[in-house]
Amino acid sequence: MANKFDFSSDQINVFMMLIDESGSMEHDASNVRQGLESYKKSFEGFPEANSIAISKSTFDETVRLNDFCSLQEFNTDYRSGGGTALYFSIMHGATHLSTYMREVTVRTGCTPRGTFIVFSDGMPCGDPGNPEAAKKAILDLNLAGVTTVFVAFGNAISSNFGKDLGFVSTIDVNDRNTLVNFLGVELSQSCKEQSRSLKALGADFFSKAADKSSSAGYSATTAQALEDDDWLSSI
């Protein structure tokens, strides 16, 4: 699969999902797959779908960065096993997103809007990265106008971890049985609102979805985002 560069409008939205596949997610694998399938299906007939590119990348003790594709090509496969290289994955995932967004701008002449979404159910374990580098990666994305989102599954990690790293929007999904609804409904709705909006949702990324569901506990932090067309020079 190759990166997507063919878009139907100049309002291009790029989503990167960086999903934890560590061993502690073993019992949630079926729900994650079902939730991702529901997420993909929810975009059928969505008017802005052809102006969206998405990468579903994953990590355990290392990170697997996948190309940015259309929603029709979105890969819903999921497995689990291994450690939790969370800092390392954030660092490399941020670079992966920034590099793709720059290339989209060069090829299309349009400045895409980026959303970086990290999902984890546990603290770093066997991680070759470090918190300082991960914080720097998130700060750079924030200053570039990218909406940075941290999703904490279960009770072994909380949204405070994401806040401490500087993510502008954080959320707790405490009940692991609600993963299907969270991925297929709440996350989908938030991504759609981001795609429709004239401005990046930033700290309000989950607000509309959280108002309509009790499966997630919403919390957000704010950050200053640059809104001019020169933001690419900072990433």
Side-chain angles (χ1 to χ4, degrees):
M1 184 184 299
N3 280 328
K4 173 182 173 66
F5 294 105
D6 180 22
F7 300 94
S8 60
S9 76
D10 59 4
Q11 188 172 329
I12 300 168
N13 276 274
V14 176
F15 295 95
M16 180 168 180
M17 295 185 186
L18 188 57
I19 304 178
D20 187 348
E21 284 190 335
S22 61
S24 57
M25 290 291 293
E26 179 182 3
H27 298 296
D28 301 303
S30 177
N31 283 341
V32 174
R33 280 192 296 271
Q34 188 177 340
L36 292 173
E37 289 165 3
S38 180
Y39 177 91
K40 179 178 181 178
K41 185 173 179 59
S42 74
F43 282 90
E44 293 177 1
F46 182 62
E48 289 80 14
N50 290 327
S51 291
I52 293 173
I54 187 166
S55 169
K56 191 208 75 180
S57 295
T58 58
F59 67 95
D60 42 39
E61 69 273 1
T62 188
V63 62
R64 290 168 288 280
L65 301 171
N66 292 319
D67 288 341
F68 290 85
C69 64
S70 68
L71 287 160
Q72 292 87 345
E73 297 175 304
F74 182 65
N75 183 356
T76 61
D77 291 344
Y78 183 82
R79 62 163 186 82
S80 64
T84 310
L86 185 49
Y87 296 133
F88 181 82
S89 301
I90 288 170
M91 292 156 48
H92 287 275
T95 299
H96 185 57
L97 174 62
S98 299
T99 300
Y100 174 68
M101 291 177 69
R102 283 197 297 268
E103 190 169 359
V104 169
T105 301
V106 169
R107 291 196 181 207
T108 68
C110 300
T111 302
R113 180 164 55 205
T115 305
F116 184 62
I117 311 170
V118 178
F119 307 77
S120 184
D121 82 326
M123 300 293 287
C125 177
D127 193 337
N130 62 80
E132 291 75 21
K135 286 181 181 179
K136 177 63 165 55
I138 295 303
L139 176 62
D140 288 346
L141 291 182
N142 291 339
L143 292 175
V146 174
T147 295
T148 52
V149 180
F150 186 81
V151 180
F153 289 156
N155 297 309
I157 191 171
S158 80
S159 60
N160 288 329
F161 181 91
K163 288 181 183 180
D164 290 343
L165 289 182
F167 284 81
V168 300
S169 179
T170 64
I171 193 168
D172 289 299
V173 184
N174 296 315
D175 184 354
R176 301 174 80 111
N177 293 322
T178 65
L179 284 176
V180 175
N181 182 74
F182 173 77
L183 292 168
V185 178
E186 295 175 38
L187 180 63
S188 168
Q189 183 178 350
S190 296
C191 290
K192 288 177 180 179
E193 292 298 328
Q194 180 86 304
S195 301
R196 294 186 183 109
S197 177
L198 295 178
K199 295 177 64 175
L201 296 180
D204 294 325
F205 183 73
F206 281 117
S207 60
K208 290 184 175 61
D211 287 341
K212 298 176 181 179
S213 175
S214 60
S215 71
Y218 174 69
S219 62
T221 57
T222 57
Q224 181 66 39
L226 300 179
E227 295 179 355
D228 58 41
D229 288 341
D230 296 330
W231 64 267
L232 280 167
S233 64
S234 67
I235 60 177

